[in-house]
Amino acid sequence: MSFSKLSRKQKIIFLAGVCEGEGSFGYWCEGKNRRRIRLRITMTDGDIIMRFKDFFNCGSVMKVTIQKKHHKQCLSWGVGGLDALRVL
């Protein structure tokens, strides 16, 4: 079944599974008194990365620098602050 035909609940379940396997989140210090929550998903399947951006309508997508010749190109979707809290 294609992603577009899934119910909203099924889409959330799918994206949560991807996030659990390929994602990371944390709480970072930015400056002396500023803290920020961030969520990032990184993988080689760009179609799935774009589903996060499209479904949650926030965050940004970027190419990850290839470290070795035999590595595939990865994409990363990241979101921070209140948007990250909403997604989580």
Side-chain angles (χ1 to χ4, degrees), residues 44 64-74:
T44 59
V64 177
T65 302
I66 297 175
Q67 300 295 319
K68 296 183 180 181
K69 287 183 180 182
H70 66 277
H71 288 180
K72 291 182 178 180
Q73 178 66 61
C74 286

Side-chain angles (χ1 to χ4, degrees), residues 46-61:
D47 181 53
I48 292 178
I49 292 295
M50 292 310 297
R51 289 178 186 175
F52 278 90
K53 181 159 177 44
D54 294 342
F55 183 81
F56 292 110
N57 196 31
C58 63
S60 59
V61 174

Side-chain angles (χ1 to χ4, degrees), residues 9-36:
K9 181 178 179 179
Q10 290 170 323
K11 288 177 182 177
I12 290 172
I13 290 168
F14 173 82
L15 294 172
V18 172
C19 184
E20 193 277 327
E22 304 296 331
S24 63
F25 64 93
Y27 189 62
W28 282 267
C29 295
E30 292 183 346
K32 188 175 181 178
N33 296 314
R34 187 166 180 220
R35 310 293 190 271
R36 185 174 175 103

